[in-house]
Amino acid sequence: EPEVTQTPSHQVTQMGQEVILRCVPISNHLYFYWYRQILGQKVEFLVSFYNNEISEKSEIFDDQFSVERPDGSNFTLKIRSTKLEDSAMYFCASREQGVGEQYFGPGTRLTVT
Amino acid sequence: AQSVTQLDSQVPVFEEAPVELRCNYSSSVSVYLFWYVQYPNQGLQLLLKYLSGSTLVKGINGFEAEFNKSQTSFHLRKPSVHISDTAEYFCAVIRSGGYNKLIFGAGTRLAVHP
């Protein structure tokens, strides 16, 4: 069964460093998402991406964040200068055209020290 | 804007007992409703969804949920739980139409005891 994959599973970085979180969505899916979950809190929407552009972003997704689909398979989230409060689990999700569920990857745990 | 309230942060229950996890939502537009489960150290897995049609929806692992529009609720039920059902359960809504970001509730931790 096709699944969303994410790498790395755990990333430790120092404050101020850039990180790139990688996702490989399901191959025939057209809509892509990033969510995050700070420890002990709810899952929060960051950004959605369709047709090679951002379709919606939350107030969390400020200028320090960017997304890219550099080729036909990868979908990345970049944080330019990480802060302590960026420590969280980051989930990638994708869905196909039309009404359908979002399929989530296993997440990347980002720890900023 | 949409919001989701899960009234119980934790629900302890004994194995083979029935369980109900409560979810209420608020929205001025039509929504679709979902329940996701998160097992320890894993991602989110869809349990079931309500898009339209019958208000009683059945999902995986013996779970079901009933959409109640008048009470704006979508409670999750299972008649007999197993130890393996111990996990975090998230209710979520999507505004019908558009690019459909999921709005999640805070989650309910179901702890099944022997």
Side-chain angles (χ1 to χ4, degrees), chain A residues 13-59:
Chain A
T13 189
Q14 289 189 327
M15 196 167 51
Q17 296 296 305
E18 173 184 287
V19 294
I20 297 177
L21 310 183
R22 303 180 192 281
C23 168
V24 179
I26 295 173
S27 62
N28 65 332
H29 286 189
L30 300 176
Y31 297 84
F32 312 109
Y33 307 82
W34 283 102
Y35 294 82
R36 79 172 186 189
Q37 183 183 29
I38 295 172
L39 188 63
Q41 298 186 24
K42 66 171 67 176
V43 178
E44 303 172 288
F45 167 78
L46 291 178
V47 65
S48 58
F49 193 85
Y50 171 71
N51 199 25
N52 285 318
E53 61 183 23
I54 290 173
S55 47
E56 188 174 359
K57 60 184 180 179
S58 71
E59 60 273 14

Side-chain angles (χ1 to χ4, degrees), chain A residues 63-75:
Chain A
D63 292 344
Q64 293 300 312
F65 291 87
S66 62
V67 289
E68 193 177 33
R69 189 158 161 81
D71 53 41
S73 59
N74 290 282
F75 179 51

Side-chain angles (χ1 to χ4, degrees), chain A residues 55-109:
Chain A
S55 47
E56 188 174 359
K57 60 184 180 179
S58 71
E59 60 273 14
I60 303 168
F61 195 88
D62 61 22
D63 292 344
Q64 293 300 312
F65 291 87
S66 62
V67 289
E68 193 177 33
R69 189 158 161 81
D71 53 41
S73 59
N74 290 282
F75 179 51
T76 62
L77 174 70
K78 181 193 291 187
I79 309 175
R80 288 189 184 80
S81 178
T82 50
K83 308 182 187 72
L84 293 176
E85 53 265 37
D86 293 327
S87 294
M89 181 74 91
Y90 288 80
F91 293 106
C92 173
S94 69
R95 75 170 177 90
E96 58 187 347
Q97 182 79 8
V99 177
E101 68 178 273
Q102 293 180 23
Y103 290 80
F104 283 78
T108 292
R109 179 165 297 285

Side-chain angles (χ1 to χ4, degrees), chain B residues 66-87:
Chain B
E66 185 154 20
F67 169 58
N68 188 318
K69 189 174 182 180
S70 63
Q71 296 188 5
T72 60
S73 67
F74 191 55
H75 300 332
L76 181 70
R77 302 186 185 99
K78 186 169 181 178
S80 176
V81 295
H82 302 288
I83 296 286
S84 59
D85 293 322
T86 295

Side-chain angles (χ1 to χ4, degrees), chain B residues 21-112:
Chain B
L21 306 184
R22 296 180 291 170
C23 172
N24 287 88
Y25 70 93
S26 173
S27 178
S28 56
V29 299
S30 296
V31 295
Y32 301 133
L33 295 139
F34 302 80
W35 275 98
Y36 282 85
V37 60
Q38 184 180 31
Y39 297 104
N41 301 313
Q42 294 188 28
L44 297 162
Q45 180 183 6
L46 182 72
L47 270 179
L48 47 79
K49 61 188 176 190
Y50 173 78
L51 304 180
S52 65
S54 173
T55 57
L56 182 64
V57 291
K58 294 188 184 297
I60 62 171
N61 302 339
F63 284 94
E64 63 179 34
E66 185 154 20
F67 169 58
N68 188 318
K69 189 174 182 180
S70 63
Q71 296 188 5
T72 60
S73 67
F74 191 55
H75 300 332
L76 181 70
R77 302 186 185 99
K78 186 169 181 178
S80 176
V81 295
H82 302 288
I83 296 286
S84 59
D85 293 322
T86 295
E88 189 90 18
Y89 291 80
F90 293 95
C91 182
V93 300
I94 275 181
R95 178 176 56 86
S96 56
Y99 297 110
N100 302 345
K101 65 182 180 185
L102 278 163
I103 306 295
F104 284 88
T108 297
R109 175 160 294 281
L110 176 64
V112 182

